[in-house]
Amino acid sequence: MSDEPVQGRMTTDGDREVVVFLIGMRVNSWRAVRSWLPVFRAMPRMLKELARDPDSGMIAYRPLVGPGRSVGVLQYWDSKEKLFAYATDPDGAHRPAWAAFNRRAREGRNKVGFWHETYVVPAGSYESIYVNMPSFGLGKALGTVPVGRRGERAADRMAA
């Protein structure tokens, strides 16, 4: 996809369920580099692994920064089943990264924090608008159409 803005008002092209997964870490002690750096480095490996496999279920992602000591990733998934399958895949990058994080968390005495949130969003329960924007967020994940196709107002798009 291009980083060139798409002119006009666009909205998400998709009336299907989507899973929104937010995941991140917080550095509780900057000095404890051995505790937080491996956690920080694990995510790019997992994202590359997922991006190489179109059947993985992850359809788009975007890094998140801040506030303060936190970094994270916003991910869009086809289904919670595919997300859970990746999380428990014994041959994937996630399992060893999770085991290493747990080991470091115990050894590091809370020098790094971790969080995630999962939202299953039913079809028709979301709307979006992108004005003079490149492909972005949920629109990047599902594709976009001109606003007029799904309704001029947010309330119209939610009712469609």
Side-chain angles (χ1 to χ4, degrees):
M1 296 259 165
S2 170
D3 282 337
E4 289 296 315
V6 175
Q7 299 301 307
R9 297 169 60 225
M10 305 297 282
T11 189
T12 305
D13 180 23
D15 193 17
R16 65 182 182 108
E17 181 177 280
V18 67
V19 175
V20 179
F21 182 65
L22 297 158
I23 186 167
M25 63 171 275
R26 181 180 190 275
V27 176
N28 292 330
S29 172
W30 287 111
R31 291 183 191 165
V33 175
R34 291 186 335 173
S35 292
W36 61 261
L37 187 60
V39 177
F40 182 80
R41 287 183 171 165
M43 185 55 70
R45 284 193 301 272
M46 289 183 272
L47 292 171
K48 286 177 187 172
E49 177 179 64
L50 289 161
R52 280 192 307 262
D53 180 7
D55 295 327
S56 69
M58 188 185 72
I59 52 180
Y61 70 90
R62 182 165 196 82
L64 303 172
V65 178
R69 304 165 177 237
S70 299
V71 294
V73 180
L74 165 62
Q75 300 176 7
Y76 298 101
W77 286 76
D78 279 328
S79 69
K80 66 181 184 287
E81 291 79 16
K82 288 186 177 181
L83 172 62
F84 297 157
Y86 179 71
T88 59
D89 179 3
D91 299 320
H94 176 265
R95 289 288 295 272
W98 182 242
F101 168 77
N102 282 319
R103 189 173 53 256
R104 282 190 187 86
R106 282 189 302 274
E107 294 166 358
R109 295 191 170 87
N110 304 318
K111 303 292 193 244
V112 62
F114 166 83
W115 60 273
H116 80 250
E117 300 173 355
T118 307
Y119 304 92
V120 178
V121 187
S125 297
Y126 55 89
E127 77 81 32
S128 60
I129 189 162
Y130 311 96
V131 180
N132 302 325
M133 286 288 296
S135 185
F136 183 85
L138 192 57
K140 183 175 185 175
L142 301 180
T144 58
V145 296
V147 164
R149 279 207 206 156
R150 296 205 51 228
E152 291 296 327
R153 300 174 321 133
D156 298 333
R157 292 187 295 278
M158 289 291 288

